Amino acid sequence: MRNTHLSRRTVAALLATATIGSMAGFVPAASASTPASSLTVADSRQSNPHAEERNKRVAVRVLRQLFEEGNLKVADQYIRADYIQHNPMAPDGREAIKNFIRDWTARFPDHVYNVKRVIAQDDLVMVHSNPVYEPGTRGSSVVDIFRFDRDGMIAEHWDVVQDVPATTVNGNDMFGTVSRPRTNQPGPRWMTPFSQKVATAYFDTLLVDKNPDAVRYLTPEYYQHNPTIPNGSAGLREQFTNFFQQFPNLIVERKRVIAQGDLVAIHAHYRLNPEDRGQAVVDIFRVGKHGKILEHWDSVQDVPSTPPLNDNTMF
């Protein structure tokens, strides 16, 4: 951590490398950085797996049809007219999406969305993708989050977009699964409550208490897909200790959690201090049956300084 710029680019990756181990029966409490309002409604009522699977199919269909085919009919079919947009470069509303797609497909007629993993919990769907705008380019790491209304229409959208670099220090790409079983599909649904407790407890313990000893709950091989961080848990305790000393005013606000099976996505706002615009981050964790995190993916985007095209913030 030799300078603030480097720390801003690596803060999410560094902090997203620990969890609390076996948490059976423990429900993480809301805290100053994890207000009760940020918890998903799935924390308080039973999810509907059939509706969740339907919403997953719709989210993927909408992305592929819009960006790959330029099919604006899917917007009329699946997106509300009063659609709420949190991407700072886009206005609210279904018509704004259709206008954007008209321009986008004209610029990038060969765009492929490359969906990698999809999870859903209650009314939220997370899609982790590698959109490639032009053939031969690396594209971006994108996480889209959609909220569906009671009628199955997309009502709201958040996203985080990061360029894919040419190389990674860990040898892993930003999208594949390295841990066994090597599948991008979420594990069995019976794991969902356990995985969610592990991942949210990590945020409440490591980020609020700033306790570097939490890294002992990582698997030794801990597979990392952030391109700037090596595999393994060795040395992380010292890195966390130094980081918390360098940035004692760090603020991490957990905004929403989406869990399915062994995968948990946490959407958060990371700031080095109260004056920092910070970064929008989605961390995706794979939790093992033994209660330790096996693998991690993320997308990180600076909150822009330019005036947004909507009044909703990125969160």
Side-chain angles (χ1 to χ4, degrees):
M1 306 279 177
R2 294 184 179 179
N3 58 62
T4 301
H5 176 73
L6 176 62
S7 299
R8 283 178 56 83
R9 299 308 305 168
T10 60
V11 56
L14 181 59
L15 293 175
T17 50
T19 185
I20 302 307
S22 181
M23 304 299 297
F26 173 75
V27 179
S31 65
S33 70
T34 58
S37 60
S38 72
L39 300 179
T40 66
V41 289
D43 295 317
S44 59
R45 76 169 187 258
Q46 186 69 32
S47 295
N48 182 337
H50 298 291
E52 291 169 356
E53 291 301 317
R54 180 264 180 194
N55 291 346
K56 287 166 63 175
R57 292 192 297 270
V58 168
V60 172
R61 174 173 169 77
V62 167
L63 287 170
R64 285 177 169 162
Q65 285 292 305
L66 286 178
F67 285 94
E68 295 181 355
E69 305 296 333
N71 179 7
L72 302 181
K73 292 181 180 179
V74 296
D76 294 321
Q77 185 176 1
Y78 295 116
I79 298 176
R80 287 173 54 127
D82 59 352
Y83 174 77
I84 301 169
Q85 176 65 265
H86 292 271
N87 183 309
M89 304 308 295
D92 288 330
R94 182 171 61 206
E95 290 305 313
I97 285 292
K98 293 165 69 173
N99 290 335
F100 174 83
I101 291 298
R102 290 186 184 99
D103 294 339
W104 186 266
T105 53
R107 293 176 59 199
F108 303 109
D110 298 317
H111 183 192
V112 179
Y113 216 80
N114 291 323
V115 172
K116 299 299 182 178
R117 53 185 54 79
V118 187
I119 61 175
Q121 188 175 34
D122 198 71
D123 60 352
L124 296 177
V125 174
M126 182 222 70
V127 184
H128 183 208
S129 306
N130 174 212
V132 175
Y133 316 124
E134 297 178 299
T137 62
R138 293 183 295 272
S140 298
S141 172
V142 177
V143 175
D144 291 289
I145 299 174
F146 298 99
R147 180 178 65 83
F148 284 75
D149 69 11
R150 293 178 182 272
D151 296 321
M153 298 285 285
I154 296 174
E156 195 165 4
H157 170 257
W158 301 261
D159 63 3
V160 178
V161 181
Q162 178 180 350
D163 290 339
V164 174
T167 60
T168 69
V169 301
N170 48 55
N172 305 324
D173 66 34
M174 294 185 70
F175 306 101
T177 299
V178 180
S179 61
R180 296 183 181 274
R182 293 182 178 176
T183 174
N184 289 346
Q185 298 299 314
R189 284 186 176 271
W190 64 261
M191 289 189 65
T192 301
F194 172 76
S195 299
Q196 183 167 345
K197 288 174 183 177
V198 168
T200 53
Y202 149 69
F203 260 69
D204 289 341
T205 302
L206 183 68
L207 302 182
V208 176
D209 298 339
K210 296 182 176 61
N211 181 2
D213 291 337
V215 298
R216 69 183 183 273
Y217 297 107
L218 289 171
T219 60
E221 64 273 22
Y222 180 67
Y223 299 110
Q224 176 64 259
H225 294 271
N226 181 294
T228 66
I229 304 296
N231 291 323
S233 57
L236 287 177
R237 179 180 283 102
E238 181 180 359
Q239 290 183 49
F240 280 126
T241 299
N242 293 338
F243 184 84
F244 292 142
Q245 289 175 350
Q246 186 177 359
F247 298 102
N249 296 319
L250 174 75
I251 302 168
V252 177
E253 297 176 283
R254 171 160 55 90
K255 299 299 183 177
R256 50 197 51 83
V257 179
I258 309 170
Q260 183 182 344
D262 56 355
L263 296 177
V264 182
I266 299 180
H267 184 208
H269 187 191
Y270 286 77
R271 291 182 290 163
L272 296 178
N273 55 64
E275 291 73 39
D276 184 21
R277 290 190 309 275
Q279 296 171 311
V281 181
V282 175
D283 292 297
I284 305 171
F285 300 98
R286 192 179 197 191
V287 180
K289 296 178 182 179
H290 42 58
K292 295 188 178 183
I293 285 184
L294 296 167
E295 199 159 2
H296 167 258
W297 305 259
D298 64 2
S299 288
V300 181
Q301 180 179 348
D302 289 338
V303 174
S305 58
T306 55
L309 297 182
N310 59 67
D311 297 324
N312 305 319
T313 79
M314 293 187 71
F315 306 100

